[in-house]
Amino acid sequence: MHDTLRRAALTALLAASATAWADPVPSTDPVVSPVPLLALSEGKLMYVDPEGARAIVECEQFREFRMLGGPEKGVLKREAKPCTLWNLVVHPSTGRWAMTAHISSSQFGNKMTHVRLSGRDIPTPRITPGGVNKSGDFIIMGDLDGIIGVTTGRPEAWTDNGIFRTQSPQQFTQDGARVLVHTGDHSYLEWWSWSFGPRSQGIRVLDRNLQDSAGVFPVKGESRAVLRQKNGSVRIATLEPTGTKPWKIGPPLKNVPRKGMLVPFLVGDTVYYYREGFFDENRACDESKPGTYRRLNLRTGEERVWRTHDTWCSTGEFEGLNSKRRTLYFIEGNTVAGTARMYEYSLDSDEVRELEIEAVSDVLDISEDGGTLLVRAGQLFLAYNVDTGEVARVDLREVRGAGVLNLRE
């Protein structure tokens, strides 16, 4: 599951699934968190800290339909449901945030009439003026006081032919002035930089022809990222720090094959990545030749395996890497069955340790200092202290995204 768009679909599936083994017992206590954070829960963007919780944004999608049978046959019904909010990113020191609201097109007799965002109706792209709406993602930006700007982003990202295209905020530029967003579908991805403000303007910083559809994984705080291309080559992309110019692309790396290289993270001159194992002609895993976790020094060319993925040929994704703490996180096992375990790899000591979190499914964010992980464990949303091992449950439901804040006076 290393394709970025497939990961977005998996994230939504995990968030929406109601697995019995992880169904949380509702709490009557106030919703609090040991650290200030933002989280997407049931169509709302919530701010939570040790004092309590409040909604910053509320989003509803309205639709209408006629009953096809029964005593109410022919009656026009109207209903409102929470929007699908996801892809939350935060700028920890300012409290700025960006996210997407996914809008589904009208179908099967259900007509989407309008979207209401914090009490304000917002227009959606439509096939014809006043006609059926298209499907796509709004990019929404704001701070702790509420919404600052909303944009439909790229026109081609809104479709009426059943093709699913995402516009996914990935991270802020260091100064918080712009948001880096990747957009695309199963066949392509390209990166855009959007200005933070009420009338956001976009600049394409990485063309679709320069990367394959598996995506790019820039590490926060790093100025370069690994770029994998459709022709099988691997290059280094240098991110323009202000987000106002295209990234610079280096020459192909010698003796670094693209095939089987999953989730590459670049820190300094070292690439950390997962190399797929061997599959037979039926795509069955050859358990004697499993996947491996590797590190490659770009300066010296030295590559070595630091962990073998016993009997498995592929993996999910690295859950994140913190360049300040110099730790990388990954999950092994079955997240659907609730048997997965999460591990921390130290870039400096070259050691792996298991983190004591039961039934973990994914990491939603890592704090700036690397000391706090926001994770999902089934239907539970947890704040995990990496130093003490303390786990704090934050009683929000259906959390699709979250970010740790580091607000400064």
Side-chain angles (χ1 to χ4, degrees), residues 115-397:
V115 174
R116 184 166 296 162
L117 195 57
S118 291
R120 172 189 167 196
D121 289 349
I122 56 176
T124 60
R126 296 185 178 270
I127 298 173
T128 59
V132 175
N133 71 289
K134 294 183 178 182
S135 176
D137 293 331
F138 284 108
I139 302 173
I140 308 170
M141 304 176 188
D143 58 21
L144 298 187
D145 292 325
I147 298 171
I148 289 177
V150 180
T151 177
T152 55
R154 298 300 304 159
E156 63 269 23
W158 291 80
T159 65
D160 58 6
N161 55 4
I163 294 177
F164 178 68
R165 290 183 180 152
T166 65
Q167 297 191 97
S168 305
Q170 297 298 301
Q171 64 184 56
F172 278 86
T173 54
Q174 188 171 353
D175 61 4
R178 303 188 71 90
V179 182
L180 298 178
V181 176
H182 72 59
T183 181
D185 57 29
H186 64 281
S187 64
Y188 80 93
L189 279 178
E190 56 187 28
W191 283 71
W192 286 74
S193 168
W194 292 90
S195 59
F196 183 90
R199 295 177 179 83
S200 186
Q201 299 295 314
I203 299 170
R204 183 163 52 198
V205 293
L206 186 64
D207 187 88
R208 68 184 65 181
N209 297 319
L210 296 175
Q211 60 180 320
D212 64 17
S213 61
V216 183
F217 302 85
V219 175
K220 290 181 181 179
E222 293 294 316
S223 61
R224 301 185 302 164
V226 176
L227 182 65
R228 297 164 298 178
Q229 299 191 297
K230 295 178 181 179
N231 63 7
S233 65
V234 178
R235 300 172 184 248
I236 300 299
T238 300
L239 284 60
E240 201 282 323
T242 68
T244 58
K245 297 178 182 178
W247 299 351
K248 294 181 179 180
I249 311 302
L253 300 178
K254 297 180 179 179
N255 302 318
V256 181
R258 160 66 182 94
K259 184 177 181 181
M261 174 186 275
L262 309 186
V263 292
F265 284 159
L266 177 58
V267 178
D269 287 322
T270 304
V271 180
Y272 302 87
Y273 72 98
Y274 184 97
R275 175 72 72 187
E276 280 189 323
F278 290 84
F279 297 88
D280 63 24
E281 62 276 7
N282 298 315
R283 286 296 293 173
C285 177
D286 182 344
E287 296 182 359
S288 66
K289 300 177 181 179
T292 52
Y293 300 85
R294 303 184 178 213
R295 57 191 296 165
L296 168 65
N297 189 306
L298 297 177
R299 184 172 49 83
T300 65
E302 178 187 3
E303 180 182 33
R304 66 179 184 80
V305 174
W306 52 267
R307 183 179 176 88
T308 298
H309 197 181
D310 291 338
T311 73
W312 289 69
C313 284
S314 194
T315 182
E317 295 192 1
F318 288 151
E319 294 298 316
L321 188 152
N322 184 271
S323 57
K324 289 186 177 180
R325 193 180 181 91
R326 295 183 59 77
T327 48
L328 183 154
Y329 298 93
F330 61 97
I331 291 175
E332 291 183 351
N334 191 324
T335 57
V336 177
T339 59
R341 310 297 298 180
M342 188 163 71
Y343 300 87
E344 178 189 76
Y345 170 66
S346 170
L347 310 189
D348 295 328
S349 69
D350 201 31
E351 296 179 345
V352 176
R353 70 176 179 118
E354 182 179 335
L355 303 183
E356 295 300 324
I357 307 176
E358 296 292 333
V360 65
S361 53
D362 61 338
V363 177
L364 297 174
D365 194 37
I366 305 173
S367 63
E368 270 192 314
D369 63 5
T372 301
L373 307 180
L374 300 182
V375 305
R376 272 198 299 247
Q379 293 297 294
L380 297 178
F381 174 48
L382 309 171
Y384 177 82
N385 187 306
V386 178
D387 294 315
T388 66
E390 182 179 358
V391 179
R393 172 174 161 179
V394 182
D395 283 304
L396 295 175
R397 296 182 60 85

Side-chain angles (χ1 to χ4, degrees), residues 62 87 158:
F62 293 80
N87 301 315
W158 291 80

